Amino acid sequence: MIDQAQIRQRLDSCRFLSLESFGPHAGEDSQFDLILEVVELKSQPRQIDSQSADQGPVATLEVHTFEDIRQVVEANADPLVVGPDSAIFRILFEGYAAFQIKNETMSLLEPAEDFSKKLRIYEKSRFLNHVATSTWALEYASDWLGEPLKHFAVICVDHIIDVACSSDPILSMRAVGEVE
């Protein structure tokens, strides 16, 4: 059987993760889980006319509006897809105090950001500061939960999920076609 360290290593080695679902774990008030899919780039053939072949597809377009940008991206970007051999990760947080989901492009970096990890752990962070000022959880976590709160950040394509929890998450992994 694969252990937590091996699953975490596999999670961290993924190039792209997509948030499939999130929310309270069925039947448990203080449990929260994330379902993440491994996605990959699917290369698509492109038609380039002979006049613009030397300049590249983007260089010939005039971009003035958001709609222009959308058209350039749709015409020139490869989609991310779940492949038949992709993995699905489940991350279960037991006894969480708070969570938030942010747009990755709007997120501020933490001072000690470790870009090699998809699941990051912080003992001090902006998110824990927010939890401290908006809940009583940080102040009483040691007494109530038995351990101080830690900030776990899960890095996905388009999203960063922050969870304040006193215990390490439980990781599991399966193939796309396997039933959980």
Side-chain angles (χ1 to χ4, degrees), residues 2 7 10 14 20-21 34-38 82-91 171-180:
I2 192 165
I7 296 172
R10 283 183 141 167
C14 295
E20 172 62 22
S21 66
L34 302 171
I35 306 297
L36 310 172
E37 293 179 321
V38 176
V82 176
D85 298 325
S86 292
I88 295 178
F89 291 93
R90 179 173 173 251
I91 305 176
L171 307 174
S172 60
M173 181 181 76
R174 64 180 173 85
V176 168
E178 288 179 23
V179 178
E180 194 172 3

Side-chain angles (χ1 to χ4, degrees), residues 130-150:
H130 165 70
V131 171
T133 60
S134 62
T135 73
W136 60 266
L138 199 62
E139 186 175 340
Y140 297 105
S142 293
D143 296 333
W144 183 53
L145 301 170
E147 296 182 39
L149 286 179
K150 293 181 256 182

Side-chain angles (χ1 to χ4, degrees), residues 50 64 94 150 160:
S50 59
H64 299 289
E94 295 180 317
K150 293 181 256 182
I160 296 177

Side-chain angles (χ1 to χ4, degrees), residues 13-131:
S13 71
C14 295
R15 186 168 176 201
F16 301 112
L17 290 171
S18 178
L19 176 60
E20 172 62 22
S21 66
F22 64 92
H25 186 68
E28 298 291 334
D29 289 341
S30 62
Q31 293 185 359
F32 171 83
D33 62 4
L34 302 171
I35 306 297
L36 310 172
E37 293 179 321
V38 176
V39 292
E40 53 197 45
L41 286 173
K42 181 180 179 186
S43 295
Q44 295 182 337
R46 293 188 175 71
Q47 294 179 344
I48 301 174
D49 61 35
S50 59
Q51 186 178 21
S52 62
D54 294 334
Q55 298 175 0
V58 177
T60 60
L61 300 174
E62 290 191 33
V63 178
H64 299 289
T65 66
F66 181 77
E67 181 60 23
D68 293 337
I69 293 170
R70 187 186 64 73
Q71 289 176 0
V72 168
V73 169
E74 285 180 1
N76 298 289
D78 290 327
L80 291 169
V81 298
V82 176
D85 298 325
S86 292
I88 295 178
F89 291 93
R90 179 173 173 251
I91 305 176
L92 175 65
F93 294 93
E94 295 180 317
Y96 76 95
F99 73 90
Q100 70 178 3
I101 298 176
K102 303 179 290 193
N103 180 320
E104 71 168 340
T105 60
M106 302 294 178
S107 297
L108 296 173
L109 297 177
E110 290 296 334
E113 200 76 50
D114 181 355
F115 293 100
S116 68
K117 307 286 186 198
K118 296 292 186 201
L119 175 60
R120 301 171 185 174
I121 304 172
Y122 306 99
E123 292 181 9
K124 294 181 180 184
S125 68
R126 290 181 185 95
F127 179 60
L128 286 176
N129 291 343
H130 165 70
V131 171

